[in-house]
Amino acid sequence: MPHTILVVDDEPDLELLINQRFRREIRDRTMRFVFASNGQDALRQLDAQGDADVVLTDINMPVMDGLTLLANLNERYPLLKSVIVSAYGDMANIRAALNRGAFDFVTKPIDFQDLALTLTRSIQEARTKRQAASDHERLVALARELDVARRIQQSIVPTRFPPFPHRTDVAIHASMQPARSVGGDFYDYFFIDEHRLAFAIGDVTGKGVPAALFMAVSRTLLRSTAARGSSPGECLASVSTSLCAEDVGGMFVTCFYGVLDTRTGRIEMCNAGHNPPYILRADGSLERTPQAGGFMLGMFADASYDSATIDLRPGDSLVLFTDGVTEAANTGDEQFEEERLEATLQRLAAAGGQVTAEQIVAGVMADVEQFASGAPQADDITMLVLTWAAQGSVVAA
């Protein structure tokens, strides 16, 4: 596509000279020249035909002079580059033109070799500026899209706490902080029936939009499969098979899935390559959940998954988290690690009184943030805490 130069001058001979001097460029379609006799005519042509790359304009013209034209170009066509043509001794007008935004100037009588170099440089500068503006617009559009994606992702996971205010036998609190606008972590909880509460936490390999999309698919498959009432092992096996059928190369998801019987405190669970949750007992002791489960979801279509059971006592809490918690790093590249998480949980339990699910989440997140000391967040940080009380007892969120 030829570069367009709009020549603005009231001397009719200039059009002939330019067409003669740049005949090769015109023939090879590397340059295209259009002509206007004054500033008003130039603006009319720009409005009608669209933007040019460069405006080559005289200063002294009837109807609208070059300086007035420059003021209009800066306002209406800020990406366009302008070159002033003026007499050699007319430095006052040349300086005024440069102050009004002219990119360069040439003097009369015109040295066409110098003009060719000036136009080439002006065209390159104009194209660079246009590309930068285009890139900026794309970045702004992408930022808007990511913001929409972030809001959609936040709407996918439940965020109302306490989620079951009418129930006194169970309390849940959760938090998710993506490392980018959108992330690959998720959590979920919902009742399968009146007494069985399903809950899960997961972490997709990778970051950003691809991980967020894979997360949404994984969460949807898990919820729809769990609704059938299958055991956690059977449920995750089915989800893994479905993810393998999607054939998303190189993307997998770790997942811990459990079902709590709110009448007894028994949890049937399965762990697909995820960080084992902690059981924070009401007496302040800390336990790890058993290693029962299998591979990450989406790795093998025929993978089988084991289930196991754990029993909560009234006031016990199950603390689920993603590796963004334990792998959070400070400015010295040290990681938070399991030992600090365990110390935080035990400190919270030893503070006196019944520690709530919300207090556990808030306490851990605060310690992680303090440990990081402003270091950039490298991974999504997600927690879900479930606290159980015997049926008829009161449990706070």
Side-chain angles (χ1 to χ4, degrees):
M1 184 176 179
H3 305 300
T4 300
I5 299 97
L6 173 59
V7 181
V8 189
D9 200 299
D10 60 339
E11 294 184 14
D13 292 342
L14 184 60
E15 180 174 348
L16 296 174
L17 290 172
I18 286 179
N19 284 330
Q20 175 63 24
R21 171 58 183 80
F22 293 98
R23 61 187 182 279
R24 180 177 298 175
E25 289 82 358
I26 295 171
R27 182 193 64 202
D28 295 342
R29 297 183 60 78
T30 58
M31 286 186 178
R32 170 177 171 263
F33 291 88
V34 293
F35 298 88
S37 59
N38 56 64
Q40 190 177 83
D41 186 23
L43 292 175
R44 186 164 48 247
Q45 291 201 44
L46 287 171
D47 291 341
Q49 300 179 18
D51 210 351
D53 294 296
V54 176
V55 169
L56 176 67
T57 180
D58 194 7
I59 290 181
N60 298 309
M61 296 178 295
V63 185
M64 181 186 290
D65 63 21
L67 295 179
T68 305
L69 173 61
L70 280 176
N72 280 273
L73 292 178
N74 288 336
E75 180 179 347
R76 295 161 64 173
Y77 298 95
L79 300 181
L80 187 149
K81 291 297 177 183
S82 54
V83 176
I84 292 296
V85 182
S86 187
Y88 179 77
D90 193 14
M91 292 307 298
N93 275 333
I94 290 174
R95 287 182 60 84
L98 294 174
N99 288 333
R100 295 191 186 192
F103 175 69
D104 207 341
F105 68 94
V106 294
T107 58
K108 295 179 179 179
I110 295 176
D111 180 338
F112 281 95
Q113 184 174 357
D114 178 54
L115 176 60
L117 292 173
T118 302
L119 288 179
T120 298
R121 190 162 62 90
S122 301
I123 288 169
Q124 291 173 346
E125 184 70 18
R127 288 300 169 97
T128 299
K129 192 171 182 179
R130 288 177 190 275
Q131 185 61 51
S134 177
D135 291 344
H136 176 72
E137 289 177 0
R138 284 198 292 269
L139 285 174
V140 170
L142 178 60
R144 292 196 193 100
E145 291 175 1
L146 286 174
D147 185 59
V148 172
R150 179 187 60 78
R151 292 199 299 269
I152 292 174
Q153 185 178 35
Q154 290 291 336
S155 69
I156 288 175
V157 297
T159 56
R160 188 187 68 173
F161 301 108
F164 313 114
H166 61 288
R167 301 190 69 109
T168 60
D169 50 357
V170 65
I172 288 182
H173 199 83
S175 174
M176 184 171 69
Q177 295 182 5
R180 301 181 183 177
S181 296
V182 290
D185 283 5
F186 71 92
Y187 64 83
D188 201 3
Y189 49 81
F190 51 92
F191 274 94
I192 298 174
D193 54 37
E194 184 180 354
H195 302 293
R196 289 189 298 163
L197 173 65
F199 59 94
I201 192 169
D203 185 359
V204 175
T205 57
K207 307 279 190 307
V209 174
L213 293 174
F214 198 74
M215 162 273 209
V217 172
S218 302
R219 181 257 185 190
T220 300
L221 287 171
L222 177 60
R223 181 175 271 253
S224 61
T225 306
R228 304 172 192 164
S230 305
S231 71
E234 293 171 336
C235 180
L236 293 192
S238 177
V239 172
S240 185
T241 299
S242 297
L243 289 175
C244 287
E246 297 294 329
D247 194 24
V248 181
M251 298 199 76
F252 313 103
V253 56
T254 68
C255 182
F256 182 94
Y257 171 59
V259 178
L260 167 69
D261 188 328
T262 58
R263 297 165 295 186
T264 65
R266 171 158 289 188
I267 294 176
E268 190 175 10
M269 49 146 284
C270 180
N271 190 342
H274 197 77
N275 304 78
Y278 286 98
I279 304 171
L280 183 60
R281 298 292 184 184
D283 62 9
S285 61
L286 200 62
E287 302 174 16
R288 298 293 288 266
T289 55
Q291 291 282 7
F295 294 106
M296 291 187 292
L297 305 180
M299 290 189 71
F300 305 107
D302 57 350
S304 60
Y305 293 82
D306 299 325
S307 297
T309 59
I310 54 178
D311 290 304
L312 299 183
R313 298 187 288 270
D316 289 350
S317 296
L318 186 67
V319 181
L320 297 85
F321 59 96
T322 62
D323 58 14
V325 173
T326 53
E327 295 179 5
N330 60 18
T331 53
D333 208 27
E334 297 177 290
Q335 292 187 344
F336 191 70
E337 298 183 341
E338 284 80 1
E339 289 79 5
R340 289 186 178 87
L341 175 57
E342 292 170 2
T344 296
L345 293 174
Q346 290 177 326
R347 174 180 60 79
L348 293 169
Q354 174 65 51
V355 61
T356 67
E358 182 176 5
Q359 289 170 338
I360 294 171
V361 172
V364 172
M365 299 298 277
D367 280 8
V368 169
E369 183 178 356
Q370 183 179 17
F371 173 80
S373 300
Q377 183 181 331
D379 199 2
D380 306 330
I381 298 176
T382 302
M383 287 190 66
L384 184 147
V385 175
L386 178 153
T387 303
W388 179 74
Q391 195 165 17
S393 300
V394 177
V395 59

